[in-house]
């Protein structure tokens, strides 16, 4: 099946091709002449995912899907969340985004240490976090949503060369002691937020399309 994937992110495209396998031919917006940045101005992952898919559909009228992904860190009140792509500011790279998360957790931890040194009791800072992906599929003009979550913790420092984005600081519960950038792409795809959401979409297409 030929379908347009609303992304310019090479990491997402590589993973989606692997996860969906041979039955799918993924086409990028650039390949059909859509080269501008697709807007994502919503307040939720679902709104952004829908906005990206709808933008593409309005331009090409073709079957398409979009993925919006966010990292939620409990101690940071769910941040970066919907701001995951631009947490350190517009135009900053992934290292800056990861550094900001690591720095903010360190600040919270040092506050707890200071309080402890003063004899105050404070709860240990939780490093619990999760990736969430929301996929919007538009097929025959109808919209369908699929979601996937990966639970884990934020590492104390970056590790690994694989994956993309925030992978070097995320330790999935399934692979303790290793970040998503330390494990193989196959291992990541098997457990990941995107893997779960895309497999749900593929299953739906198999039975309904
Ligand atoms: P968006 O879904 O394109 O808005 O991406 C949100 C941000 O999350 C981007 O900065 C991505 O690089 C990052 N991101 C998306 N998926 C993953 C992932 O699987 N691992 C690590 N970072 C990711």
């Amino acid at each position: 099946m030929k379908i347009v994937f609303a992304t310019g992110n090479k990491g997402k495209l590589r993973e989606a091709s692997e996860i969906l396998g041979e039955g799918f031919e993924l086409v990028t917006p650039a390949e059909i002449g859509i080269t501008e940045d697709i807007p994502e101005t919503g307040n939720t992952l679902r709104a952004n995912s829908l906005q990206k898919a709808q933008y593409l559909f309005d331009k090409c009228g073709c079957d398409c899907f979009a993925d919006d992904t966010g990292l939620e860190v409990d101690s940071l009140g769910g941040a970066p969340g919907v701001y995951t792509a631009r947490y350190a500011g517009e135009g900053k790279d992934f290292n800056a985004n990861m550094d900001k998360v690591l720095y903010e957790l360190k600040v919270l931890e040092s506050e707890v240490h200071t309080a402890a040194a003063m004899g105050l009791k404070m709860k240990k800072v939780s490093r619990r976090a999760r990736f969430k992906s929301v996929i919007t599929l538009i097929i025959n003009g109808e919209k369908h949503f699929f979601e996937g979550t990966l639970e884990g913790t934020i590492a104390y420092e970056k590790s690994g060369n694989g994956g993309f984005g925030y992978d070097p600081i995320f330790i999935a519960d399934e692979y303790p002691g290793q970040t998503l950038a330390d494990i193989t792409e196959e291992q990541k795809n098997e457990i990941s937020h995107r893997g779960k959401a895309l497999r749900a979409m593929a299953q739906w297409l198999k039975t309904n399309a």
Side-chain angles (χ1 to χ4, degrees):
M1 161 176 205
K2 203 167 176 170
I3 190 161
V4 185
F5 182 19
T7 192
N9 181 320
K10 289 198 176 85
K12 277 190 182 182
L13 184 65
R14 193 181 60 240
E15 287 185 6
S17 302
E18 271 303 311
I19 292 162
L20 292 171
E22 283 177 0
F24 289 83
E25 185 190 338
L26 298 188
V27 179
T28 62
E31 284 168 333
I32 56 166
I34 300 170
T35 50
E36 68 271 26
D37 279 348
I38 299 179
E40 40 181 311
T41 54
N43 292 324
T44 62
L45 297 179
R46 187 178 164 114
N48 276 338
S49 169
L50 174 59
Q51 187 181 22
K52 288 190 268 189
Q54 188 70 55
Y55 183 91
L56 199 53
F57 181 75
D58 289 345
K59 289 253 162 176
C60 70
C62 49
D63 293 337
C64 60
F65 70 96
D67 152 328
D68 201 63
T69 297
L71 173 67
E72 289 178 1
V73 183
D74 287 350
S75 295
L76 303 181
V82 80
Y83 301 106
T84 297
R86 49 188 188 281
Y87 196 44
E90 279 313 329
K92 292 280 169 62
D93 70 4
F94 293 111
N95 274 313
N97 287 334
M98 287 189 282
D99 287 343
K100 185 167 180 194
V101 170
L102 293 177
Y103 174 76
E104 289 183 334
L105 286 173
K106 225 177 235 171
V107 168
L108 290 177
E109 280 159 356
S110 82
E111 284 169 6
V112 170
H113 284 137
T114 308
M118 290 162 58
L120 297 169
K121 267 198 182 156
M122 274 174 83
K123 241 174 93 188
K124 196 172 171 253
V125 176
S126 164
R127 290 192 156 245
R128 179 114 310 254
R130 67 203 55 75
F131 275 114
K132 280 188 184 165
S133 284
V134 180
I135 287 177
T136 304
L137 167 72
I138 304 187
I139 187 143
N140 303 322
E142 287 178 8
K143 300 173 195 83
H144 303 275
F145 298 93
F146 305 91
E147 298 189 8
T149 298
L150 177 64
E151 285 287 336
T153 53
I154 300 297
Y156 285 90
E157 54 189 36
K158 296 173 206 160
S159 174
N161 298 311
F164 70 99
Y166 291 75
D167 283 348
I169 61 165
F170 189 89
I171 300 172
D173 289 344
E174 287 86 342
Y175 291 97
Q178 295 181 87
T179 69
L180 289 180
D182 286 319
I183 63 177
T184 67
E185 190 156 288
E186 205 179 3
Q187 287 171 321
K188 180 187 170 189
N189 290 342
E190 212 175 284
I191 58 167
S192 79
H193 41 295
R194 185 165 300 102
K196 288 169 189 157
L198 283 173
R199 281 189 292 273
M201 180 183 86
Q203 185 58 41
W204 186 90
L205 284 167
K206 215 165 142 183
T207 36
N208 296 283

